[in-house]
Amino acid sequence: MISSVLDRLMAAFDGSPWAMSSGRDCLHARGDSHRSQPLYTPEQRKRRDNTHWTLVQGILAPIQFLVFIASAVLVVRFLATGEGFEIATASVVVKTLLLYAIMVTGAIWEKVVFGRYLFAPAFYWEDVFSMLVLALHTAYLTALIGGYGDAEFQMLLALAAYATYVVNATQFVLKLRAARLDEQRWKGRAQVGGPIGSF
């Protein structure tokens, strides 16, 4: 059930123009003869489906996104009106804590599925960009706790962190969407007796 819900959520993003390093552009542009291998090997897919960390990621990701939407509205409202600094600040802190949670549990998930905590080849560029997302969110907390900059500076820093989060979230959504379509195509080939390569 969780898998089908995630599939529907990812399908909603499939029309996005941001193919970038997610692999979606390669999926549609390359012929099957040029594809090296799917995102997951059969063993990795089995580990992905059997670990509870997949469910944890599936729950945390949409929660973080909803908090991000609410927080972004509050931050922009403060920058536009000068009102609501406290609630905007609280929302950014909650969003940052959720980011830390999903980064830690995501690293554990990556270890279980791919055998390494970060920078597994399948998600290398997504993980690289995640480091920038993490750095900017941490910079915001540092500014807040250390009292660096005024309120407007802190909120602008939060927006910069949010911009990188949107790019990174799009990377992951499109990568997972491409992987799902890839699996469907290779399963279809297997059923009709076609070549399935290293899959």
Side-chain angles (χ1 to χ4, degrees):
M1 179 178 176
I2 292 294
S3 177
S4 64
V5 170
L6 290 176
D7 285 345
R8 288 196 297 272
L9 286 173
M10 288 187 289
F13 288 91
D14 191 42
S16 170
W18 299 305
M20 53 190 166
S21 64
S22 66
R24 179 174 174 271
D25 52 343
C26 297
L27 178 66
H28 295 296
R30 296 182 185 176
D32 288 338
S33 61
H34 295 93
R35 302 232 350 123
S36 55
Q37 64 179 14
L39 185 65
Y40 303 101
T41 66
E43 293 78 14
Q44 290 167 347
R45 193 183 328 107
K46 184 180 297 184
R47 292 195 293 269
R48 177 201 67 187
D49 294 341
N50 290 336
T51 178
H52 67 277
W53 293 111
T54 300
L55 176 60
V56 171
Q57 291 290 287
I59 292 172
L60 284 177
I63 290 175
Q64 181 185 205
F65 183 75
L66 291 175
V67 172
F68 153 73
I69 292 294
S71 181
V73 169
L74 293 170
V75 170
V76 171
R77 172 176 172 264
F78 168 76
L79 289 172
T81 67
E83 299 177 358
F85 175 71
E86 292 78 10
I87 190 170
T89 298
S91 72
V92 180
V93 171
V94 171
K95 163 67 176 67
T96 302
L97 293 177
L98 282 170
L99 174 68
Y100 288 157
I102 204 167
M103 289 290 291
V104 171
T105 57
I108 296 171
W109 175 87
E110 204 165 320
K111 173 67 173 177
V112 171
V113 176
F114 296 103
R116 56 194 304 176
Y117 285 107
L118 283 172
F119 308 117
F123 288 97
Y124 180 82
W125 290 110
E126 288 78 8
D127 286 349
V128 167
F129 206 85
S130 291
M131 295 302 102
L132 176 60
V133 178
L134 191 62
L136 284 173
H137 280 75
T138 301
Y140 168 80
L141 281 187
T142 301
L144 177 66
I145 295 171
Y148 303 118
D150 58 12
E152 183 177 0
F153 168 80
Q154 292 175 5
M155 291 294 104
L156 288 173
L157 185 56
L159 283 185
Y162 284 3
T164 60
Y165 161 74
V166 169
V167 173
N168 197 224
T170 302
Q171 282 182 296
F172 278 106
V173 167
L174 294 178
K175 172 63 71 67
L176 295 173
R177 171 65 174 167
R180 188 181 73 88
L181 295 175
D182 207 19
E183 287 182 14
Q184 288 178 347
R185 180 165 60 249
W186 285 85
K187 285 178 182 177
R189 285 185 166 193
Q191 290 172 357
V192 299
I196 58 176
S198 62
F199 191 72

